[in-house]
Amino acid sequence: MAGVLRVALRNPAIRSALGDHADAVWAALASPPAPEAMPGVVDGMRALYAGEPQLAELGIDRKLARTMEKQARMMLATAATSLADESDGRGSERGLYLGLPTVDEPIPGMVALENWHADRGREPIGAHLQRETPPFSGLSMLNSSAAAHIAATLRMTGSLAVYSPFADAGLNALVDGACAVADGECTDALIGAVSPKIDPMLPLQYQRWSEPGMTLAAGEACASLLASPAGDDADEARLLGYARGYASLPWNGDGGPLPALIAQALSMAERHAGQVGWIVHSAPWRDCQRRALDAALTACWPTALPPRLDIERSFGRIGPAATTLAASLALHALQRGECHADNESQRRVLTQPTVLVIAMAPHGQCGVIVIGKEQA
């Protein structure tokens, strides 16, 4: 399987509470802003709010903008930034792959309804469904409509896919979009993901999935990038390898599924652990995930662990956006030759031109992506 995927990644764009431009976001990682109190939430839940995107400069009709949720507007503005310098006329062949959750309201799954019936109605159905509705679910028809608006506005009529449920939506959008380019399904692909909507319902859902000590402030963030066939430029960043998996929780203390996924992704990328210069990961949802992550990293790097960054400690719990945001940060790190590490205000030198991205989701979904420059 090694050497199968060689897809270039470029034009990263980020919108978040840390800023709306790459340089501002990169600088703010050294001292992230403090979360704000969420109005109307009695348990003191806090959040990192992104600014409202200005769509008039994109030529978006105000009636369309008013009918789109904030996440969809953020995704549209971020995607437009990634495509701002693209004037090659390939829009008709450009694919669109988005992790776009909860553009309207979360919908309860059948399991939540069955559990309430099993409870025989002793608990009010509203409180029950708010607690048991997955935090990253959404109405797929409205998600698809939002994606269609984005594609039409940016004049993209290539392949389109929208991923809605759970925190691995951005991971799947990134991998599937890159594979679509590698397989020739589209000339290139705009890949992006956005966090779920912040509202008073979200803390109840986070309580469902986060254990004590794993709870983070909710965050708003959106990231996008462009995937295209790799050329001969050795300095371009590429998606070199990936591995996706699932293991029901709790994970074992020996690393659960992560060591095998790390090994598979590095093998596909034709890299070894000593060639990784930076590790970026989403925040664990369970204590068993945290212990498994630490065990996996210790097993792969027993003597010297590369700098690592838990991006959701800075950006808030952003779920689906975590992987695409991590990939965007990886592109910035490779361009600048420097990286950030947890609990450090000073940036470090990126000693190896390879970044490992690890994603984890509430149910046990997980994935590993290797981004780096081609080696001679």
Side-chain angles (χ1 to χ4, degrees):
M1 194 171 179
V4 172
L5 193 66
R6 288 294 183 269
V7 176
L9 303 178
R10 54 194 175 91
N11 297 12
I14 298 173
R15 300 188 70 89
S16 72
L18 277 67
D20 295 336
H21 302 286
D23 292 339
V25 172
W26 193 255
L29 276 173
S31 56
E36 304 174 21
M38 287 181 62
V41 180
V42 296
D43 62 358
M45 185 77 176
R46 303 176 72 81
L48 287 156
Y49 293 96
E52 179 68 39
Q54 301 300 315
L55 299 182
E57 59 193 38
L58 302 177
I60 308 301
D61 187 277
R62 63 182 182 85
K63 295 178 182 177
L64 173 60
R66 279 166 37 198
T67 61
M68 300 175 75
E69 283 283 354
K70 182 180 180 181
Q71 296 115 301
R73 294 195 294 270
M74 288 177 61
M75 189 71 259
L76 174 55
T78 308
T81 301
S82 287
L83 296 179
D85 297 327
E86 298 297 314
S87 57
D88 51 16
R90 294 192 294 179
S92 61
E93 303 175 18
R94 180 166 292 138
L96 182 63
Y97 292 80
L98 300 179
L100 193 61
T102 320
V103 295
D104 186 28
E105 293 295 339
I107 54 175
M110 285 301 299
V111 173
L113 294 172
E114 291 170 353
N115 288 346
W116 182 72
H117 284 291
D119 183 58
R120 298 183 184 277
R122 286 189 290 268
E123 185 176 35
I125 187 170
H128 188 93
L129 295 184
Q130 284 181 344
R131 189 182 70 245
E132 295 211 8
T133 299
F136 305 115
S137 68
L139 300 177
S140 59
M141 181 178 295
L142 294 179
N143 289 0
S144 298
S145 298
H149 286 317
I150 293 171
T153 301
L154 301 177
R155 296 177 174 82
M156 293 184 288
T157 58
S159 54
L160 184 148
V162 187
Y163 304 83
S164 178
F166 304 114
D168 57 343
L171 170 69
N172 290 326
L174 178 56
V175 172
D176 292 356
C179 287
V181 173
D183 294 339
E185 296 176 9
C186 50
T187 304
D188 56 8
L190 191 288
I191 299 168
V194 65
S195 58
K197 181 172 65 176
I198 293 182
D199 63 12
M201 189 175 181
L202 197 58
L204 294 172
Q205 297 167 337
Y206 280 151
Q207 289 173 5
R208 165 74 174 172
W209 299 112
S210 297
E211 291 181 351
M214 300 291 104
T215 303
L216 296 174
E220 287 183 335
C222 184
S224 65
L225 46 86
L226 197 63
S228 56
D232 297 327
D233 185 0
D235 198 47
E236 67 183 1
R238 308 181 182 193
L239 177 59
L240 300 173
Y242 67 90
R244 290 182 284 188
Y246 169 80
S248 58
L249 300 175
W251 289 351
N252 297 327
D254 59 358
L258 292 178
L261 293 178
I262 293 173
Q264 180 182 341
L266 288 174
S267 175
M268 183 178 182
E270 299 176 344
R271 298 287 191 274
H272 58 75
Q275 293 173 300
V276 174
W278 194 28
I279 299 171
V280 189
H281 62 83
S282 62
W285 292 83
R286 307 285 194 186
D287 186 63
C288 67
Q289 287 178 312
R290 179 191 60 78
R291 289 185 280 108
L293 176 62
D294 291 341
L297 297 182
T298 300
C300 294
W301 290 272
T303 56
L305 182 68
R308 59 183 282 191
L309 178 69
D310 181 338
I311 61 169
E312 292 186 293
R313 293 287 172 184
S314 298
F315 290 87
R317 181 71 79 180
I318 55 177
T323 305
T324 47
L325 194 148
S328 297
L329 292 178
L331 299 184
H332 293 309
L334 291 167
Q335 178 184 8
R336 291 171 168 83
E338 58 185 16
C339 61
H340 288 268
D342 285 331
N343 304 317
E344 293 184 9
S345 59
Q346 298 296 321
R347 288 186 284 272
R348 295 194 189 187
V349 174
L350 185 66
T351 58
Q352 296 286 342
T354 303
V355 180
L356 191 76
V357 175
I358 301 175
M360 294 166 286
H363 275 306
Q365 310 98 312
C366 48
V368 178
I369 294 172
V370 181
I371 299 173
K373 296 182 180 181
E374 192 60 81
Q375 295 183 329

